[in-house]
């Protein structure tokens, strides 16, 4: 048997006596407090994670839309005159943005120009930006017909930017 200590307590009580773990009620209370604290921590962390995810998606959407707003006019101009080399250069330059994984340009007659990596649909944020050509005076122009050169291709329907 352990020798009694200062105040008549035995040395065997040790740390358990300090936290009250010698009592069955105290152990249950401590257990419930720890479980409730753990559950509260998980719930708060989950809520913060969801809110942060939604904020990041909103920022990504805004960034992809601003990229499209800046890239659309020169891309529409290049598609209007069907400068394939310039179109490819512009599409590839969009891939230099850290949030852009792939770009696609749908031209007349179903032609699709695509650059970038394949991104699974469930991991991609895809935005379609219509390309509208405005002439030098700012008016939208209809596609000219050139009987001698044949019909022009390249009136774009839409460009798609895929962010990750």
């Amino acid at each position: 048997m352990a020798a009694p200590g200062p105040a008549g307590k035995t040395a065997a009580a040790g740390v358990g006596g300090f936290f009250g773990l010698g009592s069955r009620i105290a152990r249950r209370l401590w257990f419930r407090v720890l479980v409730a604290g753990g559950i509260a921590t998980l719930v708060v962390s989950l809520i913060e994670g969801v809110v942060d995810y939604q904020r990041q998606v909103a920022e990504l959407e805004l960034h992809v839309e601003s990229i499209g707003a800046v890239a659309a006019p020169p891309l529409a101009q290049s598609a209007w005159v069907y400068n394939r080399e310039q179109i490819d250069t512009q599409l590839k330059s969009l891939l230099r943005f850290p949030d852009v994984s792939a770009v696609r340009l749908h031209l007349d007659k179903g032609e699709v120009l695509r650059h970038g990596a394949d991104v699974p649909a469930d991991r991609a944020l895809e935005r379609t930006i219509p390309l509208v050509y405005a002439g030098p005076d700012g008016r939208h122009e209809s596609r000219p017909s050139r009987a001698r050169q044949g019909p022009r291709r390249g009136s774009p329907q839409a460009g798609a930017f895929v962010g990750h």
Side-chain angles (χ1 to χ4, degrees), residues 76-87 105 107-108 111 113 143 152-155:
Q77 173 68 28
S78 296
W80 179 261
V81 296
Y82 198 71
N83 183 340
R84 177 66 182 258
E85 184 179 325
Q86 189 64 31
I87 291 171
L105 180 64
L107 299 170
D108 281 350
E111 184 180 3
L113 304 177
R143 181 66 103 189
R152 280 189 168 187
R153 304 176 328 177
S155 171

Side-chain angles (χ1 to χ4, degrees), residues 31-43:
F31 177 74
R32 289 182 181 171
V33 166
L34 289 173
V35 168
I39 290 172
T41 300
L42 288 174
V43 168

Side-chain angles (χ1 to χ4, degrees), residues 41-110:
T41 300
L42 288 174
V43 168
V44 168
S45 296
L46 181 65
I47 291 171
E48 284 181 346
V50 168
V51 168
D52 188 50
Y53 173 76
Q54 290 173 342
R55 182 187 57 77
Q56 287 180 353
V57 168
E59 286 178 5
L60 181 62
E61 286 177 344
L62 181 64
H63 189 234
V64 169
E65 287 177 18
S66 65
I67 291 171
V70 170
L75 197 53
Q77 173 68 28
S78 296
W80 179 261
V81 296
Y82 198 71
N83 183 340
R84 177 66 182 258
E85 184 179 325
Q86 189 64 31
I87 291 171
D88 284 336
T89 301
Q90 289 172 349
L91 291 177
K92 288 176 184 175
S93 71
L94 292 173
L95 294 174
R96 293 187 182 166
F97 287 100
D99 295 329
V100 178
S101 298
V103 291
R104 217 175 25 237
L105 180 64
H106 297 267
L107 299 170
D108 281 350
K109 313 256 191 238

Side-chain angles (χ1 to χ4, degrees), residues 9-35:
K9 295 184 181 179
T10 61
V15 176
F18 179 73
F19 288 112
L21 296 178
S23 165
R24 182 175 164 197
I25 294 174
R27 284 193 304 267
R28 283 186 174 175
L29 185 60
W30 274 107
F31 177 74
R32 289 182 181 171
V33 166
L34 289 173
V35 168

